[in-house]
Amino acid sequence: AQSVTQPDIHITVSEGASLELRCNYSYGATPYLFWYVQSPGQGLQLLLKYFSGDTLVQGIKGFEAEFKRSQSSFNLRKPSVHWSDAAEYFCAVGPQSTASKLTFGTGTRLQVTL
Amino acid sequence: DSGVTQTPKHLITATGQRVTLRCSPRSGDLSVYWYQQSLDQGLQFLIQYYNGEERAKGNILERFSAQQFPDLHSELNLSSLELGDSALYFCASSEPRLAVGWGGEQFFGPGTRLTVL
């Protein structure tokens, strides 16, 4: 069965510092991989996705993620965090064979200090 | 704004009652997905419909049911509600797989917050 692990429940960074959120997945084949962000009281917004091809993908709001097949990881990075990035971040995996359900990690809550 | 709409935004009801949550997908999207987000279970997939037909089922209780109508909007029906059903319910939609530029992503609505008292 597919699963997603986000080992960090809560991360605090200073504004302007770099950020890396970890995501490891378990899946039988190459999956689709996604990062979503959820601000308080809001829905989920797609930050970026890995579908195929270049393993370093760029997303919105200055985020990027790197797919590493050998490590079953898809870590999210941002070189300089802004206070508005404070939110909850979810990594998700979906099957390539059919457009079907996403399996989400438990999320990482990001706090940004000024 | 993802283009997916959900109503109502908030719903407060009592145990044993029945409620209906409504979702309108993005224009052109044929798939609708329902997810439940709770503190103890996280984000869990409930059910998927594609062009009016059930396509996939997740951890959906027998007390819950859904349908997708000819105009592609979907409703999630929750009955015999229990305190533990209190959660945020999200609807998501995705475009047909054969659509140009399809990438498998799902677009989420703002959610319906259900509180069962």
Side-chain angles (χ1 to χ4, degrees):
Chain A
Q2 58 202 51
S3 66
V4 177
T5 302
Q6 293 181 249
D8 303 307
I9 296 173
H10 189 202
I11 283 183
T12 300
V13 301
S14 300
E15 188 174 41
S18 63
L19 171 71
E20 182 169 27
L21 302 183
R22 296 182 290 166
C23 172
N24 291 95
Y25 69 90
S26 173
Y27 192 70
T30 302
Y32 293 168
L33 293 160
F34 307 89
W35 275 99
Y36 283 86
V37 61
Q38 184 180 26
S39 297
Q42 303 295 314
L44 287 89
Q45 181 183 23
L46 179 68
L47 284 176
L48 46 77
K49 65 183 181 187
Y50 173 75
F51 181 72
S52 64
D54 193 348
T55 56
L56 184 63
V57 293
Q58 303 297 320
I60 62 172
K61 304 184 180 185
F63 285 92
E64 66 177 27
E66 187 171 12
F67 170 60
K68 292 185 177 179
R69 185 191 305 273
S70 61
Q71 298 176 20
S72 296
S73 69
F74 189 56
N75 294 349
L76 182 72
R77 300 193 294 248
K78 187 169 185 178
S80 178
V81 170
H82 188 263
W83 64 266
S84 61
D85 293 324
E88 187 140 24
Y89 292 80
F90 292 92
C91 182
V93 62
Q96 285 210 13
S97 58
T98 60
S100 188
K101 71 169 187 175
L102 296 179
T103 298
F104 285 87
T106 50
T108 297
R109 181 166 296 280
L110 174 64
Q111 184 176 357
V112 181
T113 58
L114 301 177
Chain B
D1 185 354
S2 67
V4 177
T5 61
Q6 289 188 248
T7 56
K9 193 171 176 62
H10 299 279
L11 201 48
I12 301 175
T13 188
T15 55
Q17 295 299 305
R18 173 189 170 94
V19 297
T20 298
L21 312 183
R22 182 188 169 100
C23 166
S24 292
R26 298 186 320 155
S27 177
D29 286 359
L30 301 182
S31 279
V32 168
Y33 311 78
W34 287 97
Y35 292 85
Q36 180 194 59
Q37 185 179 36
S38 61
L39 285 175
D40 54 344
Q41 298 289 328
L43 262 164
Q44 290 217 321
F45 168 73
L46 294 178
I47 197 164
Q48 177 201 358
Y49 276 81
Y50 179 83
N51 203 21
E53 295 193 0
E54 183 183 304
R55 177 62 64 90
K57 225 170 186 176
N59 298 323
I60 188 167
L61 300 171
E62 285 191 13
R63 300 183 286 108
F64 296 1
S65 64
Q67 54 185 328
Q68 186 179 27
F69 295 86
D71 68 351
L72 300 178
H73 91 270
S74 178
E75 292 180 356
L76 179 66
N77 300 295
L78 315 176
S79 61
S80 303
L81 285 167
E82 302 175 359
L83 296 178
D85 298 327
S86 296
L88 196 50
Y89 291 84
F90 285 110
C91 168
S93 71
S94 67
E95 56 191 3
R97 186 180 174 89
L98 295 179
V100 174
W102 181 83
E105 63 264 53
Q106 296 177 17
F107 298 89
F108 283 76
T112 293
R113 181 167 296 281
L114 173 67
T115 302
V116 182
L117 301 176

